[in-house]
Amino acid sequence: MTQVIRSSAELREKVAGWKRSGMFVGVVPTMGALHDGHLSLVREARRQSDRVIVTIFVNPMQFNNADDLTKYPRDEGHDLALLESEGVDVLFAPEVTEVYPGGFATKVSVAGVSEPLEGAFRPGHFDGVATVVAKLFGMTQAGRAFFGEKDWQQLQVVRRLVEDLNIPVKIIGCPTIRETDGLAMSSRNVRLSTAERAAAPALHRILQAAAATLRAGAPARETLLAAEAEILEAGFREVDYLDLRSVEGLRPLGHATEPARLLVAAWIGDVRLIDNIAV
Ligand code: AMP
């Protein structure tokens, strides 16, 4: 049975009990509308912990776009059934007022790695992420936390956060889970029309081709301009960024001369998709 907990005091008591009996606790933070990408993190958490907490919280502080927040898919009943079948111990699903009670005044802001890419196109987004993740670590007291490489920059921001604030949690990055046609699984994919859904896998295909060209030594500027044109031809409306960056500090690279990541954000209809792959 997965126990649903909504109050952080009750969660703290539960976790304290586990820890007294020597159990190791893992957490998977999510915004719900769970899919196989999330469940792969849950399975990894199960492998690496005695007790697993999944958090579901659609964090208003990390949405820079009110429409995106309103349209964000929510289905807690279905999510709970999935978590039950994965043997998750606790679903922590607090209300907004539990996370941000009246008088709440703190903001966690990670400089550097949170500034380019998503940070440039979604002002305030990573402050919201860093703040809620710091709070979830405080509330869950977990020893390990599992994050997807799908959100590569977020993973780097979270790593920086726990190192800088001495938060005693180990961050585990897990590979991106894709549909069979290559589209990275995302809660936002359900908002794609049939035609958009059919066009969307081009994003990953074009990323792969560009990564191969870059690996062969081609310059990033020309390669990425050509790839961006292909993304638009494939039916995307706009490309926010398509960039070659160093894997950890996300420094811009002119050539793939060191371990690198190709990262993209693009709009198809009114849905914004992000993806990234190793180069
Ligand atoms: P979200 O609910 O979108 O905030 O995602 C919660 C966690 O699941 C984050 O650590 C994401 O990186 C991860 N995640 C989302 N989609 C995928 C995917 N397709 N493969 C692996 N992890 C994912």
Side-chain angles (χ1 to χ4, degrees), residues 51-111:
R51 289 290 179 270
V52 172
I53 304 168
V54 171
T55 71
I56 294 184
F57 181 62
V58 182
N59 175 32
M61 195 176 168
Q62 74 187 68
F63 282 79
N64 54 310
N65 176 326
D67 192 46
D68 190 28
L69 176 60
T70 325
K71 288 189 180 150
Y72 201 84
R74 298 164 205 245
D75 190 351
E76 195 185 291
H78 184 244
D79 289 346
L80 179 59
L82 289 173
L83 298 178
E84 293 265 4
S85 67
E86 295 294 331
V88 166
D89 299 285
V90 164
L91 165 58
F92 179 56
E95 297 291 341
V96 172
T97 49
E98 177 70 13
V99 179
Y100 301 113
F104 184 85
T106 300
K107 186 165 81 182
V108 182
S109 189
V110 177

Side-chain angles (χ1 to χ4, degrees), residues 29-31 35 37-38 41 72 147-148 150-151 175-177 185:
T30 82
M31 298 202 296
H35 50 65
H38 297 112
L41 307 188
Y72 201 84
F147 288 87
K150 160 83 180 359
D151 299 277
T176 301
I177 304 300
M185 290 190 184

